[in-house]
Amino acid sequence: MVESGREPGRESGAPFGIAEVTGVSMVPTLLHGDQLFVHYGARLRAGNVAVLRHPLQQDLLIVKRLIERRDDGWWVLGDNPATEGDSRVFGVVPDQLVLGRVRARYRPVTPGRQRSVGAVASWLLSAVRPVRSASASRRLRAR
């Protein structure tokens, strides 16, 4: 899959943990290498970005946007329409596989990139951001 992460907060029973994004299915919201602050067991609603277990490979964690609540789980999609690996491929994700809501993302410094004062200032202003829910019109993509 395109996004995966670690789940250290879950192993210890803590309500919060960190996951790392690998891949591009959530671009532009999340980029490869972003660190995510995950609230496990949080209340979920359509539009939230969530960490979940892949329905066909449950040892793999993925990051997707919750689009629509259905009787048997959540319809999820990546924010990058050019990629696959979401409910269009594996269908609805059962509730028990949705682990938590992504509250914020941290974009680490890219080595060798932030050299000028302006570049460092720009990074400081954008390094940590909350991950917000998408608008209701986003749900129209669900089929």
Side-chain angles (χ1 to χ4, degrees):
M1 231 34 248
V2 285
E3 270 85 26
S4 64
R6 334 184 270 288
E7 191 180 9
R10 257 339 232 184
E11 293 167 4
S12 65
F16 297 99
I18 304 293
E20 181 177 353
V21 176
T22 58
V24 296
S25 79
M26 287 300 292
V27 168
T29 306
L30 304 172
L31 302 179
H32 178 79
D34 282 354
Q35 302 290 313
L36 306 177
F37 183 66
V38 182
H39 183 181
Y40 295 106
R43 187 173 175 194
L44 302 169
R45 62 186 174 122
N48 291 154
V49 175
V51 173
L52 48 128
R53 292 192 183 281
H54 191 288
L56 305 177
Q57 187 182 349
Q58 293 182 15
D59 60 335
L60 177 66
L61 299 181
I62 58 176
V63 179
K64 301 293 175 201
R65 190 169 300 277
L66 304 175
I67 300 299
E68 181 178 80
R69 182 73 182 88
R70 297 192 176 175
D71 290 336
D72 46 353
W74 285 96
W75 186 265
V76 300
L77 294 174
D79 284 358
N80 183 348
T83 61
E84 293 183 354
D86 51 30
S87 288
R88 295 171 293 177
V89 173
F90 49 71
V92 174
V93 177
D95 289 324
Q96 65 269 22
L97 297 183
V98 181
L99 302 175
R101 179 178 172 189
V102 175
R103 295 290 186 173
R105 65 106 174 119
Y106 166 73
R107 192 157 288 154
V109 175
T110 305
R113 288 278 178 106
Q114 283 78 17
R115 295 183 184 177
S116 70
V117 173
V120 170
S122 175
W123 171 80
L124 284 172
L125 292 172
S126 68
V128 177
R129 290 255 168 112
V131 176
R132 302 198 189 277
S133 297
S135 68
S137 64
R138 185 97 173 124
R139 287 179 266 168
L140 297 176
R141 287 179 49 193
R143 297 182 194 252

